[in-house]
Amino acid sequence: MGIRGDRWPQKPAADRAKDHSGGIIKGMISINSLTKRFGDHVAVDNLSFDVKPGEVLGFLGPNGAGKSTTMKMLTGFLTPDGGSASVCGFDIQTQTLLAQQKMGYLPEGAPCYGDMRVKGFLEFIANVRGLSGAERQRQVQRAVEQVELQDVLGQRIETLSKGFKRRVGLAQAILHDPQVLILDEPTDGLDPNQKHQVRRLIQQLAEGSNKIVVISTHILEEVSAVCSRAVIIGKGRLLADGTPDELEARSRYHQAVTLSLAAPADSAALESLPGVVAVERSADGLALTVLAKPGEVIFPAVGQLAREQQWQVNELSVERGRLDDVFRSLTSGESV
């Protein structure tokens, strides 16, 4: 059985996505010129962006880019050296507790009390979140079922595998039905099946609601799998912001055509086609990737040439672009 995809309980429309003054929130998360230094090192450098209701945001960057530091400031665990951040209209520095009440947070490493048993730990977190009685039991049971912890409820957390510890961390983050769910490397330590289940859960939690999910990760497939938008940072600075499709369109492989051949072919004719900038060959010569100039559509011309040359083509496909190509270009300082 996979992780259940039940959506979070929906509040009446009048209660959704409103700030403490009753106004509709345009950005449930608002980050403005956020800055954090550790000695001479600037970990987060004048970072600004908003996250709107219903978005699943992938927060991307290489190791050391400032992702976890930003998350810790956003959740009130680190004090910024400059700038501000708010959650659901509450300033994280001056209204910390009110902002934290709106959030569910899975920190990096999913720290828990290792000597507690899983069920006792979740009940403790439910108490901290102000849940009691039948409501506490209902919310604990819902979280347990959604991340499939039924078989380990009686175990001490310190005896669990890394993957199960991560799932306990995710369960505590969703216990109180938060409007904002902030996840730092949510699939770290999970096997491929568990990764798929957690990603599906994240999608379904946000689907059709005014909640938002922010996922900090350096795993690019996570973005393509679950995110409606992605922000890329490097050295604490904003490098790119857009939908996965928009970012992929910035790749040099956008509109590239790949031919899978039964026998090697001479690529010289491809290189002379209008709109073609380069041709990449596999080591065995059986795969050719034809790169297009920005804005050019070369698929019809490539297909026509293959027919004229009577190449034995097993597959002919067009690429949307490669997020990893854009990520490497941006974070290494190359232009895209």
Side-chain angles (χ1 to χ4, degrees):
M1 180 185 295
I3 289 179
R4 287 184 55 190
D6 298 343
R7 297 177 184 172
W8 291 345
Q10 293 293 293
K11 296 181 174 73
D15 293 336
R16 296 183 209 157
K18 289 190 175 183
D19 66 15
H20 54 284
S21 64
I24 298 297
I25 300 170
K26 294 182 179 179
M28 287 174 72
I29 291 178
S30 182
I31 293 176
N32 298 295
S33 302
L34 207 60
T35 301
K36 184 64 181 179
R37 300 179 184 86
F38 296 101
D40 294 332
H41 173 64
V42 181
V44 178
D45 189 1
N46 200 36
L47 187 63
S48 298
F49 62 89
D50 291 339
V51 190
K52 298 177 181 178
E55 287 188 324
V56 179
L57 178 73
F59 190 44
L60 307 177
N63 291 333
K67 302 187 304 297
S68 292
T69 300
T70 301
M71 290 247 182
K72 290 174 182 176
M73 287 190 287
L74 181 60
T75 51
F77 291 95
L78 274 179
T79 301
D81 293 315
S84 63
S86 64
V87 176
C88 297
F90 296 108
D91 185 276
I92 195 62
Q93 294 184 74
T94 63
Q95 300 168 297
T96 306
L97 186 57
L98 292 171
Q100 289 175 337
Q101 288 172 347
K102 300 293 184 181
M103 286 185 275
Y105 178 37
L106 175 63
E108 186 179 20
C112 301
Y113 295 110
D115 59 342
M116 295 185 73
R117 300 186 189 277
V118 172
K119 186 176 181 181
F121 171 72
L122 294 178
E123 289 178 341
F124 166 71
I125 295 297
N127 287 336
V128 170
R129 288 293 188 180
L131 300 173
S132 61
E135 177 67 6
R136 182 187 70 176
Q137 294 304 317
R138 187 180 71 82
Q139 294 287 51
V140 168
Q141 182 63 26
R142 177 184 59 82
V144 165
E145 291 176 356
Q146 284 188 303
V147 299
E148 286 197 341
L149 293 173
Q150 296 94 326
D151 293 339
V152 297
L153 286 178
Q155 285 187 230
R156 294 187 185 278
I157 293 173
E158 63 189 2
T159 68
L160 299 176
S161 67
K162 183 178 181 181
F164 266 112
K165 287 178 181 176
R166 204 74 185 139
R167 291 160 84 173
V168 171
L170 182 57
Q172 66 80 26
I174 65 174
L175 258 179
H176 58 298
D177 184 26
Q179 286 184 282
V180 174
L181 184 59
I182 298 177
L183 308 175
D184 200 348
E185 305 289 354
T187 60
D188 182 39
L190 302 185
D191 65 36
N193 288 335
Q194 293 169 339
K195 286 182 180 180
H196 172 74
Q197 292 164 353
V198 169
R199 290 169 184 167
R200 188 177 64 194
L201 174 62
I202 290 168
Q203 285 178 313
Q204 293 172 329
L205 288 175
E207 184 182 11
S209 76
N210 280 309
K211 300 178 185 297
I212 64 172
V213 182
V214 178
I215 303 170
S216 172
T217 184
H218 60 272
I219 304 173
L220 298 180
E221 66 182 71
E222 207 115 271
V223 178
S224 300
V226 303
C227 296
S228 59
R229 177 181 161 210
V231 164
I232 300 177
I233 67 170
K235 297 181 179 178
R237 297 179 179 178
L238 182 67
L239 301 178
D241 183 353
T243 67
D245 286 348
E246 289 170 344
L247 294 179
E248 287 172 350
R250 298 174 62 173
S251 166
R252 64 196 177 108
Y253 291 98
H254 181 57
Q255 292 295 332
V257 178
T258 297
L259 301 95
S260 176
L261 304 172
D266 184 3
S267 63
L270 287 170
E271 293 169 351
S272 65
L273 286 175
V276 171
V277 66
V279 178
E280 296 181 354
R281 299 173 60 93
S282 64
D284 59 9
L286 296 179
L288 302 177
T289 299
V290 189
L291 304 184
K293 294 178 182 177
E296 297 285 342
V297 177
I298 61 173
F299 180 81
V302 172
Q304 178 64 29
L305 180 65
R307 287 189 293 271
E308 291 173 354
Q309 299 290 325
Q310 297 184 342
W311 292 339
Q312 299 178 48
V313 179
N314 295 328
E315 185 177 355
L316 186 66
S317 61
V318 181
E319 294 200 31
R320 297 189 313 176
R322 302 180 186 178
L323 190 58
D324 62 339
D325 177 58
V326 177
F327 181 87
R328 282 195 302 270
S329 297
L330 288 169
T331 57
S332 65
E334 300 174 12
S335 61
V336 292

